[in-house]
Amino acid sequence: MGAFGEYVLIQETGAIPVPDDTPLEIVCVIGCAVQTGVGAVLNTAKVEEGATVLVMGAGGIGISIIQGARLAGAARIIVSDPVAERRDAAARFGATDAIDPTTEDVTATVMRLTGVGADYAFDAVGRSALIETGLWSTRSGGTTVLVGAGPVEDTITFPPVLLVITEKKLIGSLLGGSNSPFEIPRLLALWRAGRLDLEGMVTAHRPMAEINEAVADLKAGRGIRTVLAL
């Protein structure tokens, strides 16, 4: 909620200085979405060059996961999202394949594209159904990463023996496993080097007077990120 205020009182460790010439309307997307998504790939999963990656959900965090997979050198980045505009946007950020989960079976499509399943699957939404899809869509020895934060009462159902006989892994990622005093400067350096697209993450600008409309855009899945200007 502090992001909607003109001033915020926080602990010193929570304030990360950036160079004076850094546009705040651009760097603000790093604070949660970018360091969470990119960090989930680079820090938590440690995706290897040439890997195949499935990303479920192409909002701000999902797009950041796609960018992280591109930075890691993933050979194939498959995105699944029900919103056509977000699937189109994902391609601009590095996705190589797109799935409409309302008309296609995600697991079957991933198997057809990869032959054996994805090396890594990321749930960027926080839905138990997506976590289960990730488990079934990864190859033996593959890893499913929980990035989205779902409701506490949500549960997943799968046979535990699946993890034994296939050695598949299920891991969580909080804020991309990031140490922000290190991560934010690193992400800014990647942006300045032209390797990380932050400008493209901002798809709309609204004045604070239109904050309710901005939240409505978020709920309707319009765009990736809306920046509010004081």
Side-chain angles (χ1 to χ4, degrees):
M1 294 302 293
F4 299 142
E6 294 184 45
Y7 299 94
V8 182
L9 181 64
I10 60 173
Q11 291 183 339
E12 181 182 2
T13 55
I16 311 301
V18 297
D20 291 339
D21 62 346
T22 306
L24 296 182
E25 69 274 15
I26 297 299
V27 74
C28 66
V29 300
I30 290 180
C32 179
V34 175
Q35 69 173 333
T36 295
V38 174
V41 176
L42 302 183
N43 303 326
T44 304
K46 296 180 173 60
V47 170
E48 307 91 353
E49 188 174 5
T52 56
V53 173
L54 168 65
V55 182
M56 294 171 286
I61 290 176
I63 292 294
S64 299
I65 293 171
I66 291 169
Q67 294 213 65
R70 189 193 71 239
L71 286 168
R76 192 158 212 163
I77 305 171
I78 307 165
V79 63
S80 171
D81 194 284
V83 181
E85 292 80 2
R86 288 189 170 183
R87 294 196 300 272
D88 292 340
R92 298 196 298 272
F93 289 96
T96 58
D97 304 271
I99 300 172
D100 180 353
T102 66
T103 62
E104 300 177 75
D105 183 289
V106 175
T107 297
T109 304
V110 171
M111 291 299 176
R112 175 175 57 80
L113 291 172
T114 63
V116 295
D119 297 312
Y120 298 90
F122 293 84
D123 166 28
V125 180
R127 297 272 181 86
S128 59
L130 297 185
I131 298 168
E132 293 170 15
T133 297
L135 284 169
W136 291 113
S137 300
T138 49
R139 62 168 174 79
S140 294
T143 301
T144 297
V145 186
L146 284 61
V147 186
V152 294
E153 66 273 11
D154 205 5
T155 59
I156 59 175
T157 303
F158 66 93
V161 71
L162 171 70
L163 302 184
V164 177
I165 63 177
T166 66
E167 294 191 352
K168 293 186 180 187
K169 294 173 282 292
L170 180 64
I171 60 176
S173 179
L174 177 62
L175 200 63
S178 297
N179 175 3
S180 295
F182 163 78
E183 198 69 53
I184 290 178
R186 175 169 75 155
L187 293 170
L188 280 175
L190 289 168
W191 168 67
R192 292 183 184 277
R195 299 178 60 195
L196 181 65
D197 183 1
L198 298 182
E199 290 91 342
M201 300 285 293
V202 180
T203 50
H205 292 79
R206 285 186 180 272
M208 283 296 292
E210 296 179 7
I211 186 173
N212 291 331
E213 289 83 351
V215 173
D217 288 344
L218 175 68
K219 290 181 177 179
R222 287 188 286 267
I224 301 171
R225 276 289 182 270
T226 296
V227 171
L228 295 167
L230 294 174

